[in-house]
Amino acid sequence: MTFDEVLPSLIDYDPNSFISFEFAFHNTEWLQENDKGSLRGTMCTSIDAMIFARRGNKKWLIPIEWKYTERYDREDKTNRKRLDRYAHLIETSNRLLIPSEDVAHSVYFIEPNYELMRQTILCEQIIAHGFADDFIHLYVIPKENTELRKAVELEFIPMLNDSSKFKIIDPQDLLAPLKDNDKYADLLNYLNKRYW
């Protein structure tokens, strides 16, 4: 997918800021995430990086979640507080399918799906409140992390109304367009040492 223009960040209040890191936006009001100590990137739904772009007349969110060697214990994260926060948003989601079983203890409350569910409903709330029209979710996972890829492919993606707007991509493939540009040599060298 190509875009006509990258727009300034929704949260950094700087016209020259085009990527927001540890992105959180109105989480208290829209997701009721009001735990003591919660702030951008801590104890609330956040997205590793967010880009805001325009394609034609539509504004798009491009949430990017970046993983490396993460593994998950498959713990059921269901509890009353989380159900009160998220169940209605799951049940009224345009992107997420309603589980055939009860929402409680469903695939949405097992990592890595729990994190992806919350990011999805956060993006949907941003759209519902008029800040954007649509979103394409990028999940950056090395090809070698087959355990995480398999979990997302077999559990989360089948629960999406439109899986074409959720992309799993290897970090090398994501950054391949930059490899022949000397301007980004230092960045690619750093990422090469850190991530592949």
Side-chain angles (χ1 to χ4, degrees):
M1 180 177 282
T2 59
F3 296 92
D4 300 319
E5 178 185 16
V6 176
L7 302 171
S9 162
L10 287 172
I11 63 170
D12 292 334
Y13 309 108
D14 178 345
N16 297 310
S17 176
F18 298 101
I19 301 176
S20 300
F21 295 99
E22 294 299 330
F23 179 89
F25 193 60
H26 293 287
N27 292 48
T28 300
E29 301 95 319
W30 298 345
L31 305 182
Q32 284 72 55
E33 294 178 341
N34 53 7
D35 295 312
K36 185 176 181 183
S38 66
L39 49 93
R40 182 175 173 183
T42 305
M43 294 179 59
C44 72
T45 298
S46 63
I47 298 167
D48 287 341
M50 177 70 83
I51 299 171
F52 189 46
R54 182 185 59 79
R55 184 180 192 202
N57 294 325
K58 290 177 72 174
K59 291 181 181 175
W60 285 75
L61 301 170
I62 307 164
I64 302 168
E65 188 64 23
W66 191 296
K67 301 297 182 188
Y68 182 43
T69 59
E70 282 83 353
R71 298 182 73 210
Y72 295 98
D73 294 332
R74 314 297 289 157
E75 172 191 356
D76 185 344
K77 301 239 179 219
T78 304
N79 64 32
R80 176 47 47 200
K81 183 188 289 186
R82 291 174 179 147
L83 283 172
D84 288 345
R85 286 178 178 167
Y86 308 125
H88 176 71
L89 295 170
I90 292 168
E91 291 164 353
T92 58
S93 170
N94 293 318
R95 189 73 59 110
L96 302 172
L97 297 173
I98 299 173
S100 55
E101 71 276 14
D102 189 29
V103 170
H105 309 291
S106 72
V107 66
Y108 294 127
F109 287 93
I110 308 294
E111 291 288 14
N113 312 306
Y114 177 63
E115 178 179 48
L116 293 172
M117 172 272 291
R118 292 180 295 120
Q119 292 176 358
T120 299
I121 60 176
L122 175 59
C123 288
E124 286 191 304
Q125 289 300 304
I126 295 168
I127 291 166
H129 287 85
F131 291 93
D133 300 294
D134 209 340
F135 71 102
I136 183 164
H137 203 157
L138 301 183
Y139 204 51
V140 182
I141 311 171
K143 289 180 180 125
E144 294 79 11
N145 192 340
T146 55
E147 180 183 356
L148 181 56
R149 282 177 165 257
K150 185 177 177 182
V152 174
E153 288 168 353
L154 296 179
E155 297 170 9
F156 187 73
I157 292 176
M159 296 302 293
L160 295 172
N161 274 318
D162 182 355
S163 62
S164 72
K165 292 180 182 174
F166 184 92
K167 303 288 183 190
I168 297 176
I169 187 168
D170 184 86
Q172 293 182 68
D173 294 336
L174 176 70
L175 298 169
L178 304 180
K179 72 178 182 180
D180 295 326
N181 187 328
D182 290 338
K183 181 178 177 181
Y184 301 105
D186 289 342
L187 171 64
L188 292 175
N189 186 47
Y190 164 78
L191 294 171
N192 183 54
K193 288 179 181 174
R194 181 158 171 82
Y195 289 110
W196 62 80

